[in-house]
Amino acid sequence: MVWWPIGASLFASSEGSGLFIGLAGTGAASGIAVAGFEWNATYVLLALAWVFVPVYISSGIVTMPEYLGRRFGGERIRMYLSTLSLLLSVFTKISTDLYSGALFVQVCLGWNLYVSTVLMLVVTALYTIAGGLAAVIYTDTLQTFIMIIGAIILTITAFNKIDGYHNLEKVYLNAIPSKIIPNTTCHLPRADAMHLFRDPVAGDLPWTGMTFGLTILATWYWCTDQASVQLIYN
């Protein structure tokens, strides 16, 4: 497999429906600080390529649990990490991507949420079982082009709706969602919504946490998590 489908598959695997709906929704609710995790990925992925992957290759391992088994010995740690990775993948990644994808289908086509979920599972299972990893990579490559083109169209349309980028902050700070919680301020735009580095005491995502805490989390996710590392390592 050449490099560009692998890169496209890595992009599509990490920028799925959960990010388009979940991250965009969180950004709309609290501002741009939520982008800090993706910002951390810009240099953590370089660490993966230049530091972690050479160690994995020289160790001759295929999976992350296998690396821990060789590093520390024994089978229990391999079984523990395999089980933990599987549970985390099902309950924190696959489930959220399925829900957000089904929600998108429901909003666009009016289909039942559960029918949309089952349909996505069946289609994904069919091409994955029939074609293996190569089919997944080529499908992700197609989805990458669709997502990039769609995101560009969506961005242009959104800025046209508010008469340009220069009006973004003004329009956002005056925006009130259609569904609110009475007698609370949680639906109101934050005054620091356009700040990436927020107050370490009063901020909902303080700059200390985004700089140091999210970096630790991003290092785990991008450099040692089985699902994230597997594709680029192969």
Side-chain angles (χ1 to χ4, degrees):
M1 189 67 65
V2 295
W3 65 269
W4 63 270
I6 296 175
S9 185
L10 178 65
F11 174 86
S13 299
S14 61
E15 315 294 328
S17 57
L19 185 141
F20 267 91
I21 294 179
L23 191 60
T26 305
S30 62
I32 65 173
V34 68
F37 183 76
E38 304 300 325
W39 176 66
N40 274 265
T42 56
Y43 53 86
V44 173
L45 280 172
L46 295 177
L48 170 65
W50 292 99
V51 179
F52 288 83
V53 167
V55 174
Y56 299 150
I57 293 176
S58 63
S59 301
I61 57 96
V62 178
T63 64
M64 299 307 300
E66 184 182 2
Y67 174 77
L68 283 186
R70 292 198 179 188
R71 176 66 179 81
F72 299 104
E75 291 293 321
R76 286 181 299 178
I77 194 169
R78 292 181 60 178
M79 293 301 299
Y80 167 75
L81 184 60
S82 298
T83 304
L84 181 63
S85 298
L86 181 61
L87 291 175
L88 287 174
S89 181
V90 170
F91 290 105
T92 68
K93 297 178 184 177
I94 296 176
S95 57
T96 55
D97 282 340
L98 281 174
Y99 172 74
S100 56
L103 183 63
F104 176 79
V105 173
Q106 183 188 46
V107 171
C108 292
L109 303 179
W111 294 2
N112 180 272
L113 191 67
Y114 296 101
V115 173
S116 303
T117 302
V118 172
L119 181 62
M120 287 192 298
L121 283 172
V122 171
V123 172
T124 303
L126 286 176
Y127 75 73
T128 302
I129 295 173
L133 183 60
V136 174
I137 292 178
Y138 286 125
T139 304
D140 283 346
T141 302
L142 175 62
Q143 291 173 348
T144 295
F145 287 107
I146 294 175
M147 284 191 292
I148 291 177
I149 295 173
I152 292 174
I153 294 175
L154 178 61
T155 302
I156 294 174
T157 303
F159 283 136
N160 284 336
K161 290 286 186 179
I162 61 173
D163 295 325
Y165 177 79
H166 62 281
N167 285 327
L168 176 61
E169 182 173 1
K170 176 183 176 182
V171 173
Y172 174 81
L173 292 176
N174 292 326
I176 302 296
S178 56
K179 294 182 179 180
I180 64 174
I181 302 176
N183 302 320
T184 65
T185 59
C186 64
H187 60 277
L188 298 176
R190 292 180 57 90
D192 59 358
M194 294 301 171
H195 293 274
L196 190 62
F197 296 97
R198 297 182 178 178
D199 188 271
V201 177
D204 61 333
L205 182 57
W207 70 266
T208 49
M210 193 192 70
T211 304
F212 302 108
L214 279 183
T215 300
I216 297 173
L217 180 63
T219 302
W220 161 76
Y221 183 82
W222 293 111
C223 298
T224 65
D225 179 63
Q226 173 63 33
S228 301
V229 172
Q230 187 71 44
L231 182 61
I232 191 171
Y233 175 63
N234 284 338

